[in-house]
Structure formats: C-alpha cells, structure tokens
Amino acid sequence: MDQFSLFAVPQPKAQAQQAPPAPLAPAPVPPEQQRMQELARALEYHNYRYHTLDAPEISDDTFDALFRELQALEEAYPQYKDQHSPTSRTGGQVLSALQKQKHALRMYGLDNVFSNEEWQDFVARLLRAEADAPTAFWCDPKLDGLALEIIYEHGRLVQALTRGDGEEGEVVTDAVRTIRTVPLRLHGAEPFPPLLEVRGEVVIFKDDFAALNAKQEALGKKLFANPRNAAAGALRQLDTSIAASRPLRFLAYSLGRATWGAAGECLRHSEVMQRLVGYGFATPPQGKLCPSPAAVEAYAAWTREHRPEFPMEIDGCVAKLDDLSAQEALGFTARAPRFAVAFKFPATQVETLLQDIKIQVGRTGTLTPVAVLQPVAVGGVVVSSATLHNEDEIHAKDVRVGDTVLVQRAGDVIPEVVAPVLAKRPQGAVPFVFPHVCPECGEPAQREEGEAAWRCTNITCKAVRMQSITHFVSKAGLDVQGVGKKWVEQLVAKGRVQSPADLFTVTWEELLAFDRMGEVLAEKFVDALHEAKEQASLHRFIAALGIRHVGEQTARTLAQHFDDIDALAHADAESLMALPDIGSEVAASIHTFFANHGNQAQLARLRGLGLWPVRQQAAPQAQGYLAGKKILFTGKLSMPRAKAQELAVAQGALLSSSLSKTLDILVIGEKPTPSKLDKASSLGITILSESEFLAHSAAVSAL
Ligand code: IVH
C-alpha cells in the first residue's frame, strides 16, 4: 500500500496538471461578454485549485476581487450572464418546495461484509453466478455522507437528485451548484459525453465539521449531531444559501447512465474513476485497483488501521468489480448489486450502564423490550437506548437492570446490547421479569406458541393505533413530509384521530388549536396530506398499511404484480408465493390482514376519501408470451441489463435471481456463462436470444 498522505482530497499526480475548464466556443463577442467569460473560466479554475486539489495559486483577496468584478458585470449585462456562472455558487434562490423525481436507473444500496470470511463468501457467490468474471476490484473508502446523483448533458450540469429511497429522489440542483467541488461544466477537452450521471457522496470533512459546530456554539445555535446530518440537512433546505454556507464536498465514486458518444466507452471501473478525475471531480481518497480478492483484504485492513487519518468519516471500504461487462452480467438483487460490496469495519463495543428496561408497544402490538442506557458514544454516535429484541433474548443474555453492559454498533445497524459485564454486576440485581400485560392499555398480552414476541391484542389500544398511524405517514409508509410523530401523538391523545383515514379529515382550523401550531405549519400539514392522497404510489400505500412482514421491498414486489389493493386482497396464497421473496409466512400475514374486518373498514374509508392508488405500469397482457413467466438474463446485452429487466417486468414477467427448475426463460446476451447455458438446457428451460426476447416484448406492446 502506498504511504498515506493527509492532503484534503488526495488525487493522482497527473491531475495536478489538470487543464482548466474547456475553452468556450470562439465567437465574435462584445468585449464585456468576453471579459465575463474570461472571469468565469478563471474563477472556476481557481475554485478547482483551491477546493478540489487543495493547491491554490492565488490569494483569497485576488479571488474575491475577480468574483466581485464578475458579479458587477452580470448585474450590468444580465443578457450575457451564463447559467453556469461561478456566481451561482453563492446560492440565494429560495424554493417553495423540493420536487421529487425518479432516477432513470435505481440507486441501489450495498450489501455488507464484516470479515475476510464473509468477503470470501461474497467472492465465491460472485464466481458461482459469473464463473469467468476477472476478479480485480476497485476499492475506495466507504464515505459516511449523503448519496447524490448529478446529471451532465454535453458537459453541463443540468440536474442533481438526492438518493431518496433509491427509486425516487429530491431535486436539489440549485443547492448542489453551491458545492465548490462540483464542476458546473466538465473540465478537459470536448467531446463530452452526451449524457453522464455522476454518483457520489456529499460529505463534510472532520476539521470543517468541528469548525462548523464551534460557530454554531458561538452563535448559541443547536449543534449538529454528526457531519452526515449537517450535510443532508443543508442540501434539503429550500433556501440554497444555507447549502452555500456549509463546507460541503462532493466526492464521485460511480455512474448512473452514461452515453459516452465520441468520448469513447469505458471498459473498467478504474477507467471511469480516471475519467471522473479528468472531468474535474474529487474522488474518495486512496481509491485503488486491487488485482485479487486477497489484495482487497489487505486494503480493508489498511483502511481500518488508517481510519483516524482520513479527513472525513468513513465506516469501511467498498470493493467494486473492475470489469464493467462482468458487472453488467451480474446485475442486482432486489436491494443491492451482486458485483460490489461494502467491507465494513467491525463493530465498536463500549461499556455503559443499563439504567432500565422499558417495554415499547409497536404498531402490530408487539411488546419490545428496550434498554435504557446511560448515554455513551459508540462509533461517532451517542447511544442512549438499544433494542433487547424479546423476552428470550433478555434471558439468554441475562442482562439485569443496574448491570454494566457492552453495547455495540456496526455501521448503520441499530445499536445492540451484547452482554452484561458480570464482574461489575451490583449486588441484588435481579433477573428481568417480562410483563404479561400491555404497559399502555393494561390489557393482557399474549405470546403465541412458536413466537418470540408478546403481543397486545387489544385492537383499541391507543399505543398500537398511534404507532400504526405514525407508520402510515412515515418515510417507510406514504412519506408525508410535515406530518410528524409529535402532531400525530397530540391528535390521537385528543381522540380526534383514531385511524390513518381520520388524518385526512383534519382541517386547518382544527390544527390551529394546537400548541405551537401556526398558520404556515397547519397549511403545510393539510397540503402534504392532500398531495400524498393525490400522488401516492401503490407500493408506498401497501407499505403504509403496516402488514406484518411486508416491508418496503415486498411492497414494491406486490405493487408490480397487482393492479390495486382489491386485487391484492383477493390473491390466493399460491399466486402470492409465486412472487420473488414471498414465502408462506408473508402470504399468511397478508391474508390475515385483509380478513380483518377493522382493516377492511379502514380500506373502504381510505378509498372513499380518494386514497386508492393503482399500479403505475401497464397491466401485463394476459395473452403476452412473457406474462407470468420467470425470467433470467445472462451475458452482455446490447442495452443495460436493468433496462431489459424493466422491459420484461412491464410485460408481466417475474424476474428471477438464480437458475433453478422453476425458471421459465433464460435470455442470453453475448458471452453467456457456459455453466448457465448447460444447466438451462438440461432442465429444459426455454432459451431466448436477446433479439427473440425483444421480438416477444414488441409483439406484446403492439397488442
Ligand atoms: S459505490 C453500485 N462507493 O454507501 C455501487 N458507494 O451503503 C454504488 N457509499 O448507497 C455505490 N461510499 O451511497 C460506493 N466509495 C463508495 C461509497 C459508497 C459510500 C454509499 C452509497 C451507497 C451506500 C450503501
């Protein structure tokens, strides 16, 4: 491993000679406009030297003088002002709301590995799926920030989106223009790619964060909990001068869509990284190509050892298969790529005092024991509570109130109590007795045979209702901004709201009667619910219902296969279990939910109120060849694999993640994995070429 150097954003040597942004098109222009163009080019160049390379060539005063000169000219000659002018970096636009937009290609999360063994399992899985994949990996640190996608058309920044739920993000273009390490135009020489979606992380460096909090403190303002929150909060503000005032940095690490055009294709991820550097992006420090899986292990150990020296918070490293055609062939599972993984630092453990064990009532009535801890910092976050899961877990670990306990937090995983420190157990500490009544409503709780959880079965229990209403509008449900837990609690406590449907009937005037609720907030509250009602997608609606075992991913699967809630409610177990990742337990839970009269009444009310989303994609054509067939792709296709998968789903096909006898169709591109071909033919599975597959899709579309 190269020696670690502590510059702000280390870059390859070649980059120091990086050309300034491309010269603008030559044209006979008036002298004022020409001067404005010169100034813009110079300012962008010096901005890049200062913020991205950390190697300024001119003093701050000189920079400011040039900046003011440009500002004055833009005021005097607004007709010559360029949309990509460096003056747009100061922010100042105030938006009325953040718009949402779908990512053209979904922004996936990453699966985690925590040890060399888990890493080796990942590589073995990868090779089982794609035996010929060359096993060189591009590795870089895993940055703990906010994922962002910036879209460039012909070298110009046109839009920026947050990751959001991966499928849909928020448009934050104006705020992103204020980030000094984001090129407003790509650097280097034309031709630029007609389309380039650059993905990366917005972070705040540790030093900058300390200074930011010191400033907050001096101003008597609230301190930020960590750099990630400060960064995320800034980007999502409607007033873009807030983003401009925070020390945000964007580091690029991958791409969404890329149409390279005359710029020429990239075959490897390492080439992509090189190109991003050439285009003027900062990239994660210490990124490098590891020629083998063993080299990745060494890289992971090295980053762990040098973690404190990194200028930003990192929580592991990311290994991405370097070969892009192998990446494409491997594709994605429901939640993450098969060609990349986060190699996380092992969990950090600390000791603290277990002050109490409280019982929380969840939205399905589950009684969850929660450890109340003396606040303690674990891996950069202050932890004051942790789940103890259930009765058996408490007894198995034998944790007692008053114990000193070991608490651990691994990455973004929820903190947990590992074990008591027996040597420090106080005299008289007694084993915990799990209550058999609901702590909220006092009614008896039940623990079913074979289940770990005690459950409150009182359907009128206020705590259960509260939780299910909060869940309905939360990020995991309809994601209604401005209708937070605090207000729901008050509305439920007053008896005004007893179910999600009631929320939609609350009026502006009623809200004004609440403490600290002003006209603006009340209007936001009512408008947000109205908008959610009009725009809710089917998968969010299904997730919002809070059916046991139906999380966001399962809701998405269901929403792709059923036209509306009615269709889902009437689906039999067999058709549910034919869907990916749905087993008998989930199917049973869906049935139980829809068989419940209370739930039926709720749904009828929601429908009456106009909240009744339907499937967004075209319904599969029953007569289409692909409808209902399980399909798998292998080899390199002429289009991105995600596109082909989308096409198949739109025709009613079900995507499969592996080759087994339940598969109906295997579509083969160039250089398919031979073992897959053999297996498919021995199992009698239909094998289609890409053009045959496309012909079937087109035939259906034409029907
Ligand atoms: S690559 C297909 N590289 O971690 C792979 N992601 O936990 C795309 N992240 O959603 C991601 N540092 O936002 C990549 N060096 C890095 C990263 C990184 C942080 C984020 C990314 C992802 C999340 C998953």
mmCIF file of all heavy atoms in Angstrom, residues 108-110 140-143 147 163 201 253-254 284 318 320 337 339-340, ligand 1:
data_model
loop_
_atom_site.group_PDB
_atom_site.id
_atom_site.type_symbol
_atom_site.label_atom_id
_atom_site.label_comp_id
_atom_site.label_asym_id
_atom_site.label_seq_id
_atom_site.Cartn_x
_atom_site.Cartn_y
_atom_site.Cartn_z
ATOM 1 N N TYR A 108 -29.030 1.836 -5.971
ATOM 2 C CA TYR A 108 -29.093 0.711 -5.033
ATOM 3 C C TYR A 108 -28.270 0.988 -3.788
ATOM 4 O O TYR A 108 -27.368 1.818 -3.792
ATOM 5 C CB TYR A 108 -28.542 -0.544 -5.700
ATOM 6 C CG TYR A 108 -29.501 -1.175 -6.677
ATOM 7 C CD1 TYR A 108 -29.541 -0.765 -8.000
ATOM 8 C CD2 TYR A 108 -30.363 -2.178 -6.268
ATOM 9 C CE1 TYR A 108 -30.411 -1.338 -8.903
ATOM 10 C CE2 TYR A 108 -31.239 -2.764 -7.151
ATOM 11 C CZ TYR A 108 -31.261 -2.337 -8.473
ATOM 12 O OH TYR A 108 -32.131 -2.901 -9.352
ATOM 13 N N GLY A 109 -28.569 0.254 -2.719
ATOM 14 C CA GLY A 109 -27.696 0.250 -1.542
ATOM 15 C C GLY A 109 -26.609 -0.789 -1.769
ATOM 16 O O GLY A 109 -26.466 -1.316 -2.873
ATOM 17 N N LEU A 110 -25.848 -1.085 -0.733
ATOM 18 C CA LEU A 110 -24.800 -2.105 -0.857
ATOM 19 C C LEU A 110 -25.010 -3.151 0.228
ATOM 20 O O LEU A 110 -25.436 -2.816 1.345
ATOM 21 C CB LEU A 110 -23.423 -1.473 -0.643
ATOM 22 C CG LEU A 110 -22.878 -0.580 -1.750
ATOM 23 C CD1 LEU A 110 -21.654 0.177 -1.252
ATOM 24 C CD2 LEU A 110 -22.506 -1.407 -2.968
ATOM 25 N N ASP A 140 -12.370 1.712 -2.695
ATOM 26 C CA ASP A 140 -12.208 3.036 -2.091
ATOM 27 C C ASP A 140 -12.924 3.065 -0.761
ATOM 28 O O ASP A 140 -13.680 2.161 -0.437
ATOM 29 C CB ASP A 140 -12.633 4.180 -3.036
ATOM 30 C CG ASP A 140 -13.896 3.928 -3.802
ATOM 31 O OD1 ASP A 140 -14.770 3.231 -3.281
ATOM 32 O OD2 ASP A 140 -14.023 4.450 -4.929
ATOM 33 N N PRO A 141 -12.632 4.092 0.068
ATOM 34 C CA PRO A 141 -13.250 4.116 1.394
ATOM 35 C C PRO A 141 -14.758 4.314 1.298
ATOM 36 O O PRO A 141 -15.236 4.927 0.340
ATOM 37 C CB PRO A 141 -12.592 5.314 2.077
ATOM 38 C CG PRO A 141 -12.093 6.162 0.965
ATOM 39 C CD PRO A 141 -11.741 5.232 -0.143
ATOM 40 N N LYS A 142 -15.491 3.783 2.252
ATOM 41 C CA LYS A 142 -16.942 3.981 2.266
ATOM 42 C C LYS A 142 -17.222 5.257 3.050
ATOM 43 O O LYS A 142 -16.966 5.330 4.254
ATOM 44 C CB LYS A 142 -17.652 2.789 2.894
ATOM 45 C CG LYS A 142 -19.147 2.955 2.839
ATOM 46 C CD LYS A 142 -19.873 1.666 3.080
ATOM 47 C CE LYS A 142 -21.348 1.831 2.811
ATOM 48 N NZ LYS A 142 -21.973 2.914 3.561
ATOM 49 N N LEU A 143 -17.700 6.247 2.338
ATOM 50 C CA LEU A 143 -17.883 7.570 2.926
ATOM 51 C C LEU A 143 -19.219 7.630 3.641
ATOM 52 O O LEU A 143 -20.232 7.150 3.125
ATOM 53 C CB LEU A 143 -17.850 8.626 1.824
ATOM 54 C CG LEU A 143 -16.689 8.506 0.837
ATOM 55 C CD1 LEU A 143 -16.873 9.483 -0.317
ATOM 56 C CD2 LEU A 143 -15.368 8.753 1.548
ATOM 57 N N ALA A 147 -25.798 10.254 -0.349
ATOM 58 C CA ALA A 147 -25.578 9.891 -1.755
ATOM 59 C C ALA A 147 -26.329 10.849 -2.675
ATOM 60 O O ALA A 147 -27.437 11.285 -2.369
ATOM 61 C CB ALA A 147 -26.030 8.460 -1.995
ATOM 62 N N ARG A 163 -30.467 10.686 -3.208
ATOM 63 C CA ARG A 163 -30.769 9.274 -3.442
ATOM 64 C C ARG A 163 -32.235 8.970 -3.117
ATOM 65 O O ARG A 163 -32.870 8.179 -3.786
ATOM 66 C CB ARG A 163 -29.856 8.413 -2.564
ATOM 67 C CG ARG A 163 -30.201 6.946 -2.639
ATOM 68 C CD ARG A 163 -29.168 6.112 -1.908
ATOM 69 N NE ARG A 163 -29.429 4.707 -2.111
ATOM 70 C CZ ARG A 163 -30.191 3.975 -1.307
ATOM 71 N NH1 ARG A 163 -30.748 4.520 -0.248
ATOM 72 N NH2 ARG A 163 -30.385 2.701 -1.548
ATOM 73 N N GLU A 201 -20.873 10.960 -3.036
ATOM 74 C CA GLU A 201 -21.342 11.241 -1.684
ATOM 75 C C GLU A 201 -21.037 12.705 -1.343
ATOM 76 O O GLU A 201 -19.958 13.204 -1.664
ATOM 77 C CB GLU A 201 -20.575 10.312 -0.728
ATOM 78 C CG GLU A 201 -21.287 10.026 0.550
ATOM 79 C CD GLU A 201 -22.239 8.829 0.466
ATOM 80 O OE1 GLU A 201 -22.488 8.306 -0.653
ATOM 81 O OE2 GLU A 201 -22.755 8.438 1.530
ATOM 82 N N TYR A 253 -17.944 8.551 -7.012
ATOM 83 C CA TYR A 253 -17.445 7.175 -6.988
ATOM 84 C C TYR A 253 -18.088 6.218 -7.983
ATOM 85 O O TYR A 253 -17.676 5.076 -8.091
ATOM 86 C CB TYR A 253 -17.505 6.569 -5.595
ATOM 87 C CG TYR A 253 -18.830 6.725 -4.874
ATOM 88 C CD1 TYR A 253 -19.999 6.205 -5.392
ATOM 89 C CD2 TYR A 253 -18.882 7.397 -3.652
ATOM 90 C CE1 TYR A 253 -21.199 6.348 -4.722
ATOM 91 C CE2 TYR A 253 -20.082 7.548 -2.978
ATOM 92 C CZ TYR A 253 -21.242 7.014 -3.507
ATOM 93 O OH TYR A 253 -22.416 7.154 -2.862
ATOM 94 N N SER A 254 -19.151 6.620 -8.678
ATOM 95 C CA SER A 254 -19.695 5.703 -9.693
ATOM 96 C C SER A 254 -20.610 6.464 -10.641
ATOM 97 O O SER A 254 -20.798 7.673 -10.511
ATOM 98 C CB SER A 254 -20.418 4.523 -9.046
ATOM 99 O OG SER A 254 -21.683 4.904 -8.578
ATOM 100 N N PRO A 284 -13.011 9.677 -3.836
ATOM 101 C CA PRO A 284 -12.629 9.278 -2.474
ATOM 102 C C PRO A 284 -11.122 9.067 -2.384
ATOM 103 O O PRO A 284 -10.531 8.479 -3.293
ATOM 104 C CB PRO A 284 -13.383 7.956 -2.268
ATOM 105 C CG PRO A 284 -14.526 8.016 -3.224
ATOM 106 C CD PRO A 284 -14.018 8.780 -4.416
ATOM 107 N N VAL A 318 -15.356 0.072 0.071
ATOM 108 C CA VAL A 318 -16.259 -0.534 -0.904
ATOM 109 C C VAL A 318 -15.407 -1.192 -1.977
ATOM 110 O O VAL A 318 -14.463 -0.580 -2.471
ATOM 111 C CB VAL A 318 -17.184 0.525 -1.537
ATOM 112 C CG1 VAL A 318 -18.129 -0.118 -2.544
ATOM 113 C CG2 VAL A 318 -17.977 1.255 -0.468
ATOM 114 N N LYS A 320 -15.543 -2.865 -5.715
ATOM 115 C CA LYS A 320 -16.390 -2.976 -6.910
ATOM 116 C C LYS A 320 -15.622 -3.733 -7.971
ATOM 117 O O LYS A 320 -14.460 -3.390 -8.239
ATOM 118 C CB LYS A 320 -16.723 -1.580 -7.452
ATOM 119 C CG LYS A 320 -17.568 -0.762 -6.525
ATOM 120 C CD LYS A 320 -17.429 0.730 -6.778
ATOM 121 C CE LYS A 320 -17.082 1.424 -5.480
ATOM 122 N NZ LYS A 320 -17.025 2.868 -5.555
ATOM 123 N N PRO A 337 -26.251 -4.389 -5.651
ATOM 124 C CA PRO A 337 -25.545 -5.012 -6.774
ATOM 125 C C PRO A 337 -24.892 -6.329 -6.342
ATOM 126 O O PRO A 337 -24.552 -6.489 -5.174
ATOM 127 C CB PRO A 337 -24.476 -3.984 -7.139
ATOM 128 C CG PRO A 337 -24.327 -3.102 -5.961
ATOM 129 C CD PRO A 337 -25.627 -3.119 -5.228
ATOM 130 N N PHE A 339 -22.124 -7.183 -7.808
ATOM 131 C CA PHE A 339 -20.722 -7.015 -8.195
ATOM 132 C C PHE A 339 -19.956 -6.105 -7.243
ATOM 133 O O PHE A 339 -18.789 -5.826 -7.453
ATOM 134 C CB PHE A 339 -20.638 -6.449 -9.621
ATOM 135 C CG PHE A 339 -21.446 -5.191 -9.814
ATOM 136 C CD1 PHE A 339 -20.943 -3.962 -9.430
ATOM 137 C CD2 PHE A 339 -22.720 -5.247 -10.365
ATOM 138 C CE1 PHE A 339 -21.688 -2.807 -9.582
ATOM 139 C CE2 PHE A 339 -23.468 -4.091 -10.528
ATOM 140 C CZ PHE A 339 -22.954 -2.865 -10.135
ATOM 141 N N ALA A 340 -20.634 -5.601 -6.224
ATOM 142 C CA ALA A 340 -19.960 -4.688 -5.297
ATOM 143 C C ALA A 340 -20.444 -4.976 -3.887
ATOM 144 O O ALA A 340 -21.564 -5.449 -3.689
ATOM 145 C CB ALA A 340 -20.270 -3.235 -5.663
HETATM 146 S S1 IVH B 1 -20.396 2.611 -4.808
HETATM 147 C C1 IVH B 1 -23.097 0.076 -7.289
HETATM 148 N N1 IVH B 1 -18.590 3.679 -3.263
HETATM 149 O O1 IVH B 1 -22.937 3.609 0.573
HETATM 150 C C2 IVH B 1 -22.326 0.661 -6.191
HETATM 151 N N2 IVH B 1 -20.850 3.743 -2.552
HETATM 152 O O2 IVH B 1 -24.461 1.622 1.973
HETATM 153 C C3 IVH B 1 -22.693 2.058 -5.945
HETATM 154 N N3 IVH B 1 -21.191 4.875 -0.414
HETATM 155 O O3 IVH B 1 -25.754 3.843 -1.477
HETATM 156 C C4 IVH B 1 -22.127 2.627 -4.755
HETATM 157 N N4 IVH B 1 -19.080 5.393 -0.082
HETATM 158 O O4 IVH B 1 -24.312 5.938 -1.194
HETATM 159 C C5 IVH B 1 -19.898 3.413 -3.420
HETATM 160 N N5 IVH B 1 -16.889 4.603 -2.030
HETATM 161 C C6 IVH B 1 -18.184 4.344 -2.195
HETATM 162 C C7 IVH B 1 -19.149 4.723 -1.247
HETATM 163 C C8 IVH B 1 -20.482 4.398 -1.459
HETATM 164 C C9 IVH B 1 -20.313 5.481 0.402
HETATM 165 C C10 IVH B 1 -22.636 4.792 -0.135
HETATM 166 C C11 IVH B 1 -23.549 4.786 -1.319
HETATM 167 C C12 IVH B 1 -24.450 3.580 -1.125
HETATM 168 C C13 IVH B 1 -24.279 3.304 0.312
HETATM 169 C C14 IVH B 1 -24.578 1.870 0.629
#
